[in-house]
Protein backbone atom coordinates (compact mmCIF):
# COMPACT_ATOMS: atom_id res chain seq x y z
CA UNK A 1 0.00 0.00 0.00
CA UNK A 2 1.42 3.35 -0.98
CA UNK A 3 0.18 5.82 1.58
CA UNK A 4 -0.26 9.51 1.06
CA UNK A 5 2.58 10.42 3.38
CA UNK A 6 5.50 8.90 1.43
CA UNK A 7 4.03 10.31 -1.77
CA UNK A 8 3.87 13.77 -0.23
CA UNK A 9 7.40 13.46 1.15
CA UNK A 10 8.66 12.44 -2.29
CA UNK A 11 7.10 15.42 -4.00
CA UNK A 12 8.18 17.95 -1.38
CA UNK A 13 11.67 16.49 -1.03
CA UNK A 14 12.69 14.95 -4.37
CA UNK A 15 16.28 14.66 -3.12
CA UNK A 16 15.37 13.21 0.27
CA UNK A 17 15.87 14.81 3.63
CA UNK A 18 18.98 13.17 5.11
CA UNK A 19 21.65 15.20 3.28
CA UNK A 20 19.88 18.45 4.03
CA UNK A 21 19.38 17.75 7.73
CA UNK A 22 22.87 16.34 8.26
CA UNK A 23 24.44 19.18 6.28
CA UNK A 24 22.49 21.70 8.34
CA UNK A 25 23.64 19.98 11.53
CA UNK A 26 27.28 20.34 10.41
CA UNK A 27 26.80 24.00 9.44
CA UNK A 28 25.50 24.61 12.96
CA UNK A 29 28.29 22.50 14.48
CA UNK A 30 31.02 24.46 12.69
CA UNK A 31 29.49 27.71 13.93
CA UNK A 32 29.11 26.30 17.45
CA UNK A 33 32.75 25.14 17.64
CA UNK A 34 34.02 28.61 16.78
CA UNK A 35 31.60 30.15 19.29
CA UNK A 36 32.54 27.77 22.09
CA UNK A 37 36.26 28.28 21.51
CA UNK A 38 36.29 32.02 20.92
CA UNK A 39 32.92 33.52 21.89
CA UNK A 40 32.65 34.88 18.34
CA UNK A 41 29.50 34.42 16.25
CA UNK A 42 31.16 34.11 12.88
CA UNK A 43 29.02 35.14 9.94
CA UNK A 44 30.30 34.72 6.40
CA UNK A 45 29.56 38.15 4.94
CA UNK A 46 31.80 40.34 7.15
CA UNK A 47 34.68 38.77 5.19
CA UNK A 48 33.68 41.06 2.31
CA UNK A 49 34.24 44.30 4.25
CA UNK A 50 37.19 43.11 6.30
CA UNK A 51 39.00 41.87 3.18
CA UNK A 52 38.36 45.18 1.41
CA UNK A 53 40.42 46.83 4.17
CA UNK A 54 43.56 45.27 2.63
CA UNK A 55 43.07 47.22 -0.59
CA UNK A 56 40.93 50.26 0.26
CA UNK A 57 41.81 53.33 2.32
CA UNK A 58 38.16 54.12 3.00
CA UNK A 59 37.80 54.54 6.79
CA UNK A 60 34.55 52.61 6.48
CA UNK A 61 36.48 49.40 5.70
CA UNK A 62 39.29 50.15 8.14
CA UNK A 63 37.33 50.17 11.37
CA UNK A 64 39.31 48.50 14.15
CA UNK A 65 36.97 45.49 14.22
CA UNK A 66 37.55 44.76 10.53
CA UNK A 67 41.31 45.26 10.58
CA UNK A 68 41.62 43.15 13.74
CA UNK A 69 39.58 40.28 12.30
CA UNK A 70 40.55 40.36 8.62
CA UNK A 71 43.33 37.78 8.88
CA UNK A 72 41.29 35.12 10.62
CA UNK A 73 38.31 35.83 8.37
CA UNK A 74 40.48 34.99 5.35
CA UNK A 75 41.49 31.76 7.12
CA UNK A 76 37.82 31.04 7.93
CA UNK A 77 36.77 31.55 4.30
CA UNK A 78 39.61 29.40 2.92
CA UNK A 79 38.58 26.72 5.42
CA UNK A 80 34.99 26.85 4.15
CA UNK A 81 36.27 26.36 0.59
CA UNK A 82 38.47 23.48 1.78
CA UNK A 83 35.66 21.88 3.76
CA UNK A 84 33.43 21.85 0.70
CA UNK A 85 36.29 20.43 -1.38
CA UNK A 86 36.81 17.75 1.27
CA UNK A 87 33.13 16.83 0.97
CA UNK A 88 33.41 16.71 -2.83
CA UNK A 89 36.30 14.24 -2.84
CA UNK A 90 34.88 12.04 -0.06
CA UNK A 91 31.09 11.73 0.09
CA UNK A 92 30.33 13.88 -2.96
CA UNK A 93 29.73 12.68 -6.49
CA UNK A 94 32.54 14.58 -8.20
CA UNK A 95 33.33 18.16 -9.09
CA UNK A 96 30.32 20.14 -10.13
CA UNK A 97 29.72 23.26 -12.24
CA UNK A 98 26.57 25.37 -12.15
CA UNK A 99 24.54 26.16 -15.26
CA UNK A 100 22.90 29.25 -13.81
CA UNK A 101 23.43 32.10 -16.26
CA UNK A 102 26.39 34.42 -15.56
CA UNK A 103 24.24 37.58 -15.50
CA UNK A 104 22.26 36.09 -12.62
CA UNK A 105 25.48 35.53 -10.65
CA UNK A 106 26.74 39.04 -11.46
CA UNK A 107 23.56 40.93 -10.63
CA UNK A 108 22.63 38.69 -7.73
CA UNK A 109 26.15 38.94 -6.31
CA UNK A 110 26.13 42.75 -6.33
CA UNK A 111 22.72 42.88 -4.63
CA UNK A 112 23.80 40.28 -2.05
CA UNK A 113 26.95 42.31 -1.35
CA UNK A 114 24.96 45.52 -0.85
CA UNK A 115 22.10 43.89 1.04
CA UNK A 116 24.11 41.94 3.61
CA UNK A 117 26.12 45.05 4.46
CA UNK A 118 23.09 47.31 4.86
CA UNK A 119 21.15 44.60 6.67
CA UNK A 120 24.00 43.73 9.09
CA UNK A 121 24.35 40.08 8.11
CA UNK A 122 23.50 37.22 5.79
CA UNK A 123 22.09 33.70 5.87
CA UNK A 124 24.83 32.57 8.27
CA UNK A 125 25.13 35.72 10.39
CA UNK A 126 21.41 36.33 10.82
CA UNK A 127 20.05 32.95 9.70
CA UNK A 128 22.29 30.68 11.79
CA UNK A 129 24.01 32.80 14.47
CA UNK A 130 21.25 35.37 14.94
CA UNK A 131 18.37 32.90 14.95
CA UNK A 132 20.44 30.71 17.27
CA UNK A 133 20.68 33.73 19.58
CA UNK A 134 16.90 34.22 19.41
CA UNK A 135 17.53 37.72 18.04
CA UNK A 136 14.35 39.49 16.92
CA UNK A 137 16.39 41.67 14.56
CA UNK A 138 17.69 38.54 12.86
CA UNK A 139 14.25 36.90 12.69
CA UNK A 140 12.85 40.01 10.96
CA UNK A 141 15.80 40.06 8.53
CA UNK A 142 15.44 36.34 7.73
CA UNK A 143 11.68 36.59 7.22
CA UNK A 144 12.20 39.61 4.94
CA UNK A 145 14.86 38.07 2.71
CA UNK A 146 13.04 34.72 2.52
CA UNK A 147 9.80 36.31 1.31
CA UNK A 148 11.53 38.60 -1.19
CA UNK A 149 13.78 35.83 -2.52
CA UNK A 150 10.80 33.51 -3.03
CA UNK A 151 8.91 36.28 -4.85
CA UNK A 152 11.85 37.14 -7.10
CA UNK A 153 12.73 33.52 -7.91
CA UNK A 154 9.09 32.71 -8.72
CA UNK A 155 8.84 35.81 -10.91
CA UNK A 156 11.99 34.93 -12.88
CA UNK A 157 10.73 31.38 -13.27
CA UNK A 158 7.37 32.64 -14.52
CA UNK A 159 9.19 34.85 -17.02
CA UNK A 160 10.90 31.72 -18.34
CA UNK A 161 14.38 32.45 -16.99
CA UNK A 162 16.08 29.06 -16.60
CA UNK A 163 18.49 28.08 -15.36
CA UNK B 1 39.17 43.11 20.00
CA UNK B 2 42.65 43.38 18.57
CA UNK B 3 43.56 40.27 20.51
CA UNK B 4 41.19 38.18 18.41
CA UNK B 5 44.03 37.18 16.15
CA UNK B 6 45.97 35.61 18.97
CA UNK B 7 47.91 32.46 18.58
CA UNK B 8 47.73 29.10 16.96
CA UNK B 9 44.87 27.81 19.11
CA UNK B 10 42.58 30.54 17.82
CA UNK B 11 43.45 29.76 14.20
CA UNK B 12 43.02 26.02 14.71
CA UNK B 13 39.50 26.53 16.08
CA UNK B 14 38.62 28.83 13.16
CA UNK B 15 40.02 26.29 10.68
CA UNK B 16 38.19 23.35 12.27
CA UNK B 17 34.93 25.28 12.43
CA UNK B 18 35.34 26.52 8.85
CA UNK B 19 36.10 23.02 7.54
CA UNK B 20 32.99 21.54 9.18
CA UNK B 21 30.88 24.52 8.11
CA UNK B 22 32.07 24.16 4.49
CA UNK B 23 31.66 20.38 4.54
CA UNK B 24 28.08 20.91 5.75
CA UNK B 25 27.38 23.40 2.98
CA UNK B 26 28.63 20.85 0.46
CA UNK B 27 26.68 17.97 1.97
CA UNK B 28 23.48 20.01 2.21
CA UNK B 29 23.77 20.99 -1.48
CA UNK B 30 23.67 24.68 -0.57
CA UNK B 31 26.86 25.11 -2.61
CA UNK B 32 24.68 24.42 -5.67
CA UNK B 33 22.69 27.54 -6.60
CA UNK B 34 20.28 25.35 -8.57
CA UNK B 35 19.19 23.60 -5.37
CA UNK B 36 18.60 26.91 -3.59
CA UNK B 37 16.57 28.16 -6.56
CA UNK B 38 14.57 24.90 -6.49
CA UNK B 39 13.65 25.70 -2.90
CA UNK B 40 12.65 29.27 -3.69
CA UNK B 41 10.50 27.99 -6.56
CA UNK B 42 8.87 25.39 -4.27
CA UNK B 43 10.33 22.41 -6.16
CA UNK B 44 12.38 21.08 -3.23
CA UNK B 45 11.85 22.07 0.40
CA UNK B 46 15.12 20.57 1.66
CA UNK B 47 16.57 23.97 2.52
CA UNK B 48 14.12 24.21 5.43
CA UNK B 49 15.95 21.29 7.03
CA UNK B 50 19.31 22.95 6.45
CA UNK B 51 18.42 26.23 8.11
CA UNK B 52 16.43 24.73 10.93
CA UNK B 53 19.02 21.99 11.50
CA UNK B 54 21.77 24.59 11.79
CA UNK B 55 19.70 26.93 13.98
CA UNK B 56 18.70 24.10 16.35
CA UNK B 57 22.37 23.24 16.95
CA UNK B 58 23.47 26.84 17.46
CA UNK B 59 20.33 27.58 19.51
CA UNK B 60 21.09 24.78 21.97
CA UNK B 61 24.86 25.38 22.15
CA UNK B 62 24.54 29.17 22.42
CA UNK B 63 21.90 28.89 25.17
CA UNK B 64 23.97 26.41 27.18
CA UNK B 65 27.10 28.54 26.83
CA UNK B 66 25.27 31.71 27.89
CA UNK B 67 23.81 29.95 30.92
CA UNK B 68 27.13 28.41 31.91
CA UNK B 69 28.58 31.65 33.30
CA UNK B 70 31.98 30.72 31.87
CA UNK B 71 34.14 32.43 29.27
CA UNK B 72 35.48 31.30 25.91
CA UNK B 73 38.75 29.48 26.66
CA UNK B 74 40.79 30.97 23.81
CA UNK B 75 39.80 34.63 23.95
CA UNK B 76 38.37 34.99 27.44
CA UNK B 77 35.29 36.57 25.89
CA UNK B 78 31.86 36.37 27.44
CA UNK B 79 29.39 34.12 25.68
CA UNK B 80 27.16 36.97 24.55
CA UNK B 81 24.19 36.63 22.24
CA UNK B 82 24.43 37.92 18.70
CA UNK B 83 22.01 40.81 19.02
CA UNK B 84 22.20 43.53 16.41
CA UNK B 85 20.20 46.70 16.85
CA UNK B 86 16.97 46.94 14.92
CA UNK B 87 16.35 49.79 12.51
CA UNK B 88 14.95 50.18 9.04
CA UNK B 89 18.27 49.12 7.50
CA UNK B 90 17.59 45.58 8.72
CA UNK B 91 14.49 45.46 6.52
CA UNK B 92 15.95 47.44 3.58
CA UNK B 93 19.05 45.23 3.61
CA UNK B 94 16.87 42.13 3.85
CA UNK B 95 14.89 43.19 0.79
CA UNK B 96 18.03 43.87 -1.29
CA UNK B 97 19.75 40.69 -0.10
CA UNK B 98 16.58 38.68 -0.76
CA UNK B 99 16.35 40.04 -4.30
CA UNK B 100 19.97 39.06 -4.95
CA UNK B 101 19.46 35.62 -3.40
CA UNK B 102 16.33 35.06 -5.47
CA UNK B 103 18.06 36.11 -8.71
CA UNK B 104 21.23 34.07 -8.21
CA UNK B 105 20.60 31.37 -5.59
CA UNK B 106 23.81 32.34 -3.82
CA UNK B 107 24.68 33.82 -0.44
CA UNK B 108 28.17 34.55 0.95
CA UNK B 109 29.01 31.33 2.85
CA UNK B 110 27.48 29.08 0.22
CA UNK B 111 29.33 30.98 -2.51
CA UNK B 112 32.71 30.31 -0.88
CA UNK B 113 31.76 26.65 -0.47
CA UNK B 114 30.67 26.54 -4.09
CA UNK B 115 34.29 27.15 -5.13
CA UNK B 116 35.20 24.04 -3.15
CA UNK B 117 32.83 21.82 -5.11
CA UNK B 118 34.51 23.00 -8.33
CA UNK B 119 31.95 25.58 -9.37
CA UNK B 120 34.31 28.14 -10.89
CA UNK B 121 31.59 30.36 -12.44
CA UNK B 122 30.70 31.32 -8.85
CA UNK B 123 33.73 33.64 -9.02
CA UNK B 124 31.46 36.02 -10.92
CA UNK B 125 29.09 36.08 -7.96
CA UNK B 126 31.91 36.47 -5.43
CA UNK B 127 33.31 39.35 -7.49
CA UNK B 128 29.83 40.84 -7.54
CA UNK B 129 29.53 40.55 -3.76
CA UNK B 130 32.82 42.39 -3.25
CA UNK B 131 31.71 45.07 -5.72
CA UNK B 132 28.38 45.42 -3.90
CA UNK B 133 30.01 45.65 -0.48
CA UNK B 134 32.47 48.24 -1.84
CA UNK B 135 29.73 50.33 -3.47
CA UNK B 136 27.74 50.27 -0.26
CA UNK B 137 30.78 51.37 1.77
CA UNK B 138 31.60 54.12 -0.72
CA UNK B 139 28.03 55.40 -0.69
CA UNK B 140 27.89 55.42 3.09
CA UNK B 141 31.22 57.23 3.31
CA UNK B 142 30.04 59.89 0.85
CA UNK B 143 26.83 60.35 2.77
CA UNK B 144 28.72 60.71 6.04
CA UNK B 145 31.02 63.28 4.39
CA UNK B 146 28.19 65.43 3.10
CA UNK B 147 26.42 65.21 6.46
CA UNK B 148 29.63 66.38 8.17
CA UNK B 149 29.99 69.27 5.71
CA UNK B 150 26.44 70.45 6.10
CA UNK B 151 26.68 70.53 9.90
CA UNK B 152 30.07 72.27 9.93
CA UNK B 153 28.79 74.88 7.46
CA UNK B 154 26.52 76.36 10.11
Amino acid sequence: MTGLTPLLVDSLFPNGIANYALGGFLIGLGTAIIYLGTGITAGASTFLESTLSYVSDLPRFNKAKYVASRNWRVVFTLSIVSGAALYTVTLGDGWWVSEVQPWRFALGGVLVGIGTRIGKGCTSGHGVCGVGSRSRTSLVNVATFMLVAIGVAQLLSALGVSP
Amino acid sequence: MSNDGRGLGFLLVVILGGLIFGFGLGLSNMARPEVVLDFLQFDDFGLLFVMSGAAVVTGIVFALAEASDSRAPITGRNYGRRLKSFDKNVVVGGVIFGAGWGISGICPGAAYASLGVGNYPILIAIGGMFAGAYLQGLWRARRADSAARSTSAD
Side-chain angles (χ1 to χ4, degrees), chain B residues 138-154:
Chain B
L138 200 62
W139 176 75
R140 237 186 218 187
R142 291 242 167 106
R143 209 178 52 159
D145 271 0
S146 61
R149 266 199 304 277
S150 64
T151 45
S152 62
D154 290 336

Coordinates of all heavy atoms in Angstrom, one line a residue, chain B residues 138-154:
Chain B
L138 N 31.3 52.8 -0.1 CA 31.6 54.1 -0.7 C 30.4 55.1 -0.6 O 30.6 56.2 -0.2 CB 31.8 53.9 -2.2 CG 32.6 54.9 -3.0 CD1 34.0 55.0 -2.5 CD2 32.7 54.5 -4.5
W139 N 29.2 54.6 -0.8 CA 28.0 55.4 -0.7 C 27.8 55.9 0.7 O 27.5 57.1 1.0 CB 26.8 54.6 -1.1 CG 25.5 55.3 -1.0 CD1 25.1 56.3 -1.8 CD2 24.5 55.0 0.0 NE1 23.8 56.7 -1.3 CE2 23.5 55.9 -0.2 CE3 24.4 54.1 1.1 CZ2 22.3 56.0 0.6 CZ3 23.3 54.2 1.9 CH2 22.3 55.1 1.6
R140 N 28.1 55.0 1.7 CA 27.9 55.4 3.1 C 28.9 56.4 3.5 O 28.6 57.4 4.2 CB 28.0 54.2 4.0 CG 26.8 54.0 4.8 CD 27.0 52.9 5.8 NE 25.7 52.2 5.9 CZ 25.4 51.2 6.8 NH1 26.4 50.9 7.6 NH2 24.3 50.6 6.8
A141 N 30.2 56.3 3.0 CA 31.2 57.2 3.3 C 30.9 58.6 2.7 O 31.1 59.6 3.4 CB 32.6 56.7 2.8
R142 N 30.4 58.6 1.5 CA 30.0 59.9 0.9 C 28.9 60.6 1.6 O 29.0 61.8 1.9 CB 29.5 59.6 -0.6 CG 30.6 59.2 -1.5 CD 30.8 60.1 -2.7 NE 32.1 59.8 -3.3 CZ 32.1 59.3 -4.5 NH1 31.0 59.0 -5.2 NH2 33.3 59.0 -5.1
R143 N 28.0 59.8 2.0 CA 26.8 60.4 2.8 C 27.3 60.9 4.1 O 26.8 62.0 4.5 CB 25.8 59.3 3.0 CG 24.4 59.9 3.0 CD 23.3 58.8 3.2 NE 23.7 57.9 4.3 CZ 22.8 57.1 4.9 NH1 21.6 57.1 4.6 NH2 23.2 56.3 5.9
A144 N 28.2 60.2 4.8 CA 28.7 60.7 6.0 C 29.5 62.0 5.8 O 29.4 63.0 6.6 CB 29.6 59.7 6.7
D145 N 30.3 62.1 4.7 CA 31.0 63.3 4.4 C 30.1 64.5 4.2 O 30.3 65.5 4.8 CB 31.8 63.1 3.1 CG 33.2 62.5 3.4 OD1 33.5 62.3 4.5 OD2 33.9 62.3 2.4
S146 N 29.1 64.3 3.4 CA 28.2 65.4 3.1 C 27.4 65.8 4.3 O 27.2 67.0 4.6 CB 27.2 65.1 1.9 OG 26.4 64.0 2.3
A147 N 27.1 64.9 5.2 CA 26.4 65.2 6.5 C 27.4 66.0 7.3 O 26.9 67.0 7.9 CB 26.0 63.9 7.2
A148 N 28.6 65.7 7.4 CA 29.6 66.4 8.2 C 29.8 67.8 7.6 O 29.9 68.8 8.4 CB 31.0 65.7 8.2
R149 N 29.8 67.9 6.3 CA 30.0 69.3 5.7 C 28.8 70.2 6.0 O 29.0 71.3 6.4 CB 30.2 69.1 4.2 CG 31.6 69.1 3.8 CD 31.8 69.5 2.3 NE 31.0 68.6 1.4 CZ 31.4 67.4 1.0 NH1 32.5 66.9 1.4 NH2 30.6 66.7 0.2
S150 N 27.6 69.6 5.9 CA 26.4 70.4 6.1 C 26.3 70.9 7.6 O 25.8 72.0 7.8 CB 25.2 69.8 5.6 OG 24.9 68.6 6.4
T151 N 26.8 70.1 8.5 CA 26.7 70.5 9.9 C 27.8 71.5 10.2 O 27.6 72.5 11.0 CB 26.8 69.4 10.9 OG1 27.8 68.5 10.5 CG2 25.5 68.6 11.0
S152 N 29.0 71.4 9.6 CA 30.1 72.3 9.9 C 29.9 73.6 9.2 O 30.6 74.6 9.5 CB 31.4 71.7 9.6 OG 31.5 71.4 8.2
A153 N 29.0 73.6 8.2 CA 28.8 74.9 7.5 C 28.0 75.9 8.3 O 28.0 77.1 7.9 CB 28.1 74.6 6.1
D154 N 27.4 75.4 9.3 CA 26.5 76.4 10.1 C 27.3 77.4 10.8 O 28.4 77.2 11.4 CB 25.7 75.6 11.2 CG 24.6 74.8 10.5 OD1 24.3 75.1 9.4 OD2 24.2 73.7 11.1

